[in-house]
Amino acid sequence: QTIAEALEERRISQVVMQYQSWGANSSDKNIPTSLKPSADLGGKNGFSTMTNRLNELGISLFCDVNLTEMNKNRWGYHTKWDSSKALQRSPTTLFSFHLGTYENDSTQPTCFLLQPNKVLRAARDTAASFKKLRATGLSADTLGQQLYSDFSKSKVDRTETQTLWQQSLQLLAQAGDGMLLSAP
């Protein structure tokens, strides 16, 4: 809110903000089904005050959600059972790397990719939960940047995944006033 007011004082207009790590437990990679603002932002009341002020200033706020990556078992999604499977049927994983050396960053937890069929369910839950927040819309960067197959029993190829992503993005966009993606 303070940043938005500083921009307004300098007569900077048409501002669009993307808020990452705004939700409770959003610093962990987990699949959200119920969106709750972080207590660090003042919880629901503080977040509501901020969104009201941003709306007054004409600033668009898009809240980022991650619907593909998880590193903990939470909210009905299990890293072993609900992750996409690689060709050898092991869970598909993503690792963090050091930018300078391209070596695996062993201090970061292993990240699992959610099965594409389950992403659509997560998008439905997220869209329904978002309508109460009064922000402009959602940002789903991982849906705009990742496209993968699933070799589990349900077998979903990249073309089918693309269709599921389109349906998911459409649900998320309809929950607010549009969608924001970074580097799709």
Side-chain angles (χ1 to χ4, degrees):
Q1 183 175 325
T2 304
I3 294 169
E5 289 170 349
L7 293 171
E8 174 70 14
E9 285 177 16
R10 290 175 178 82
R11 299 193 192 287
I12 297 172
S13 60
Q14 298 180 355
V15 175
V16 175
M17 293 183 170
Q18 179 189 42
Y19 215 141
Q20 296 179 336
S21 299
W22 63 276
N25 299 316
S26 64
S27 60
D28 298 332
K29 290 187 177 180
N30 57 61
I31 307 300
T33 55
S34 175
L35 301 178
K36 295 177 184 165
S38 171
D40 294 339
L41 299 175
K44 186 178 178 181
N45 291 334
F47 191 81
S48 179
T49 300
M50 179 187 67
T51 56
N52 288 338
R53 182 64 178 134
L54 293 178
N55 288 334
E56 288 172 8
L57 295 171
I59 293 176
S60 299
L61 174 65
F62 292 86
C63 299
D64 194 54
V65 291
N66 180 347
L67 299 180
T68 60
E69 301 172 355
M70 58 184 171
N71 63 17
K72 292 185 179 181
N73 301 326
R74 241 190 232 151
W75 291 305
Y77 296 99
H78 193 280
T79 57
K80 183 176 181 181
W81 310 116
D82 296 320
S83 16
S84 179
K85 303 296 185 268
L87 281 171
Q88 66 275 26
R89 307 258 187 207
S90 62
T92 306
T93 55
L94 287 178
F95 297 97
S96 296
F97 293 90
H98 293 285
L99 291 177
T101 63
Y102 293 111
E103 291 181 8
N104 186 8
D105 184 353
S106 59
T107 64
Q108 298 298 316
T110 300
C111 182
F112 300 86
L113 296 174
L114 185 62
Q115 291 176 3
N117 290 329
K118 296 185 180 189
V119 169
L120 185 57
R121 184 182 89 198
R124 279 190 196 103
D125 293 342
T126 299
S129 180
F130 178 75
K131 292 179 182 181
K132 304 169 192 170
L133 292 178
R134 301 184 59 197
T136 306
L138 287 163
S139 164
D141 280 349
T142 58
L143 285 177
Q145 297 170 354
Q146 295 174 345
L147 188 61
Y148 53 87
S149 299
D150 178 19
F151 295 97
S152 65
K153 290 180 183 178
S154 62
K155 287 198 173 57
V156 178
D157 66 24
R158 289 169 56 103
T159 304
E160 293 168 310
T161 299
Q162 181 179 353
T163 301
L164 291 166
W165 273 207
Q166 289 169 337
Q167 293 170 354
S168 298
L169 288 168
Q170 189 173 34
L171 284 170
L172 296 173
Q174 291 170 351
D177 292 328
M179 170 68 56
L180 178 70
L181 298 174
S182 299

